[in-house]
Amino acid sequence: MEDIKCQGCGAFIQTANPDEAGYTPESTLGRETILCKRCFRLKHYNDIQDVSMTDDDFLTMVSQIRDKKGLVVHLVDIFNVDGTMINSLSRIVGDKAVILAANKMDLLPKSTNRNKLIKWLRTAAKEAGISVEGVYLISSTKGHGLTELTEAIEKKRNHQDVYIVGTTNVGKSTFINKLIQTTTGTADVITTSYFPGTTLGFIEIPLDDDTSLIDTPGIVNRQQMAHYISDNDLKIMTPKKEVKPRVFQLNNQQTLYFGGLARLDFLKGERQSFVCYFSNQLAIHRTKLKNADNLLKEHRGGLLSPPDNETLQMIPDLTSHTYRIDQEKTDIVFPGLGWVTIAGGGVTVAAHSPKNVNISLRKSFI
Ligand code: GDP
């Protein structure tokens, strides 16, 4: 069969193996727009199908770009920077110049301090071993910040190819769709979805006669909470709209549960406010610390949900770390889920998250 690429995910179309990437029934090959079965179902029924592609396959595909010339645009999800910043980026892409684009800005409250945020992103990139030429705050769904970013890309790419790199689910397809839409007026060329791993192959969009913008496969980050979560729970914990801060005035010896997916115990310190930034759909429960273990044991999956039954089969148990916080306005970040800003200093907390989903601290930018 001649090489046809799925217009949704970029995988090579094949009719032999229904379980592998690019499968489509032979009868559909005559269609004007060829989509693999997976993208077809996603597009028309919002339904995701599993495809076998190993992490090694992903890495091999992405590392094909290492020896090519070009500019890298590294997309991260502003709601999950820890889970989407690629530590090994230079090993994968070589020594190309990197622009960092923080996507999904529409989810952050309007009161976000953009300068502080950019500064923190620079530090976070540096800690991940990435030296960035510039940091841009964007929303691919709303189109915010895209003009500024495309101008920067044009300026920095020196007439070379542009590689869009990111972990799964950062919004790469949405971003590229938006670029195509604004430049050509065609909507929804690349499949987008809630679910990690939608983009399977390279998609090239010509920038001029010699160079292209190249969409690379999403790199799977096993530490992402999303990998332990059912599709249904993922919809609940992924914010779709601007996140409304929820404020709890807590005394010490009180606990907050974020569904049954994570937990924060206020161990020591003066009464103060804990400001929670999570998907508006995710229920937050307050309880006494001494009742907290029991509550989880008895109500995880019920009152404390997500997790639903499917997630419970996959998700590791909660493990905790104790933090002493001396600085004012510190965020305790639960990667992929959200964060809590603690207003004052002199506080000791224990933060619990599923094993392998590592909690981090940062200075608040809101
Ligand atoms: P990919 O795996 O990186 O290609 O990610 P997709 O483009 O499929 O997007 C993953 C999810 O994030 C989808 O549910 C998108 O609607 C959503 N998304 C993408 N960009 C944005 C954005 O700027 N803001 C918000 N709120 N959601 C976004």
Side-chain angles (χ1 to χ4, degrees), residues 103-104 106-107 139-141 167-174 192-194 199 240:
N103 190 32
K104 310 196 188 179
D106 56 293
L107 298 176
S139 164
S140 301
T141 44
T167 62
T168 48
N169 234 18
V170 291
K172 233 151 34 67
S173 310
T174 311
T192 61
S193 82
Y194 280 120
T199 314
K240 282 168 277 296

Side-chain angles (χ1 to χ4, degrees), residues 144-191:
H144 300 160
L146 292 187
T147 314
E148 229 186 325
L149 174 59
T150 41
E151 279 169 13
I153 292 174
E154 206 40 51
K155 212 157 126 194
K156 300 237 152 96
R157 78 182 179 98
N158 286 331
H159 306 289
Q160 293 172 347
D161 291 330
V162 179
Y163 294 89
I164 311 292
V165 178
T167 62
T168 48
N169 234 18
V170 291
K172 233 151 34 67
S173 310
T174 311
F175 170 70
I176 292 172
N177 274 330
K178 198 74 176 190
L179 284 189
I180 298 174
Q181 201 184 332
T182 38
T183 48
T184 69
T186 333
D188 273 342
V189 188
I190 301 176
T191 318

Side-chain angles (χ1 to χ4, degrees), residues 315-329:
I315 198 163
D317 284 337
L318 297 182
T319 55
S320 79
H321 283 277
T322 303
Y323 301 95
R324 159 97 197 167
I325 295 161
D326 288 316
Q327 216 181 32
E328 295 197 344
K329 296 199 87 182

Side-chain angles (χ1 to χ4, degrees), residues 198-324:
T198 310
T199 314
L200 288 174
F202 289 100
I203 296 194
E204 298 196 14
I205 297 124
L207 294 169
D208 52 40
D209 286 348
D210 309 312
T211 58
S212 304
L213 184 115
I214 296 149
D215 180 23
T216 63
I219 295 166
V220 177
N221 177 351
R222 289 285 154 209
Q223 285 209 355
Q224 277 185 7
M225 183 87 100
H227 290 289
Y228 305 118
I229 300 282
S230 70
D231 294 350
N232 235 351
D233 281 350
L234 196 57
K235 282 187 190 166
I236 296 171
M237 67 172 240
T238 308
K240 282 168 277 296
K241 282 205 194 117
E242 183 180 321
V243 165
K244 299 256 171 304
R246 281 177 273 175
V247 186
F248 292 83
Q249 295 294 337
L250 296 189
N251 295 317
N252 62 41
Q253 302 302 303
Q254 287 191 305
T255 288
L256 294 176
Y257 271 109
F258 309 101
L261 294 173
R263 155 180 171 185
L264 187 64
D265 303 332
F266 181 12
L267 299 179
K268 280 189 218 149
E270 301 281 310
R271 176 182 170 83
Q272 59 193 291
S273 63
F274 285 63
V275 189
C276 304
Y277 298 88
F278 292 83
S279 155
N280 303 333
Q281 267 75 40
L282 185 73
I284 302 178
H285 300 269
R286 177 212 302 244
T287 182
K288 291 192 175 123
L289 176 59
K290 66 175 198 270
N291 300 337
D293 284 342
N294 246 341
L295 191 74
L296 186 70
K297 215 176 331 165
E298 286 175 15
H299 296 287
R300 198 176 194 202
L303 174 72
L304 299 182
S305 70
D308 62 13
N309 279 336
E310 195 186 333
T311 302
L312 279 173
Q313 315 285 322
M314 305 183 268
I315 198 163
D317 284 337
L318 297 182
T319 55
S320 79
H321 283 277
T322 303
Y323 301 95
R324 159 97 197 167

